Amino acid sequence: MPRLSLDPTCRDKAPDGQVVAFVEAASADEARKRGPARCEERTRELRDRLADVRNHAVVPSGTGFEAAGRRTACLVLGAHGPLYGPLGERRRFGTAFADTATMQKRDCLDVRSNPEARLVPCGGRYDQQVLGFTRLGGGVTLAEARTSSDAACARDVAPRDYGFDPSVYEAGSWTSDGPWKSGTHVVVCTVRRQNGGTMGETEP
């Protein structure tokens, strides 16, 4: 059981995770027996869109069941380190990512302020879209990753596999300190236009 403390902003303390759902129960015994599995189900969709996270259910004790609102809190935590910022609906459009840990599959990014990436709506114009993730070898430094990660993404998360014409689009990537501090070496893989132009809602 991790020691938990509250950060209402989801960003001021480089949070380890976020409460993303609650599941109700008729009794503390039901919460204990069924809460973890229900949280696993409720968080699956979000976890599938993130690179390195895990589910954790905070099941109320018998004496704390009523005070907890008769609910189990469902957390998504970084699997090997903090998430550095909010997840899902807590993220605001236009906000720069503090770390790649909170980038989700199919996020649309404004990168004209490079080296920063900002979350923007996919219904407008954007520069890149997140397709997935890959990992680099343990001996690869962060500096080396910044020059080799595009090629790794082109190999492991090829845009053509997602319906993007390889004569028009190419693989891009994002790296940050977090995955190198945790030792996971996770790289975020994106797609972008080869000519540097913006993308829109008509993309695959």
Side-chain angles (χ1 to χ4, degrees), residues 16-18 20 43 46-47 53-54 74-77 83 87:
D16 294 297
Q18 180 181 317
V20 298
T43 62
L46 177 59
R47 287 185 289 112
V53 295
R54 63 185 175 93
C74 306
L75 277 71
V76 170
L77 301 174
L83 287 174
L87 303 174

Side-chain angles (χ1 to χ4, degrees), residues 93-155:
F93 289 129
T95 301
F97 287 94
D99 189 273
T100 57
T102 54
M103 287 185 175
Q104 299 175 185
K105 292 179 182 176
R106 292 301 186 175
D107 273 352
C108 293
L109 311 177
D110 176 356
V111 299
R112 286 170 290 180
S113 56
N114 198 33
E116 282 188 339
R118 296 181 180 274
L119 178 68
V120 294
C122 292
R125 308 302 295 176
Y126 55 92
D127 300 305
Q128 297 183 28
Q129 185 177 132
V130 176
L131 297 181
F133 315 98
T134 190
R135 293 176 189 263
L136 299 184
V140 179
T141 67
L142 181 57
E144 291 169 340
R146 298 192 193 283
T147 59
S148 63
S149 55
D150 282 3
C153 284
R155 179 188 67 240

Side-chain angles (χ1 to χ4, degrees), residues 131-137 140-141 144-162 170-175 180 185-192:
L131 297 181
F133 315 98
T134 190
R135 293 176 189 263
L136 299 184
V140 179
T141 67
E144 291 169 340
R146 298 192 193 283
T147 59
S148 63
S149 55
D150 282 3
C153 284
R155 179 188 67 240
D156 300 337
V157 192
R160 67 175 175 275
D161 294 342
Y162 295 81
E170 64 183 5
S173 63
W174 287 87
T175 57
W180 263 257
H185 292 197
V186 172
V187 172
V188 175
C189 298
T190 66
V191 59
R192 62 192 178 200

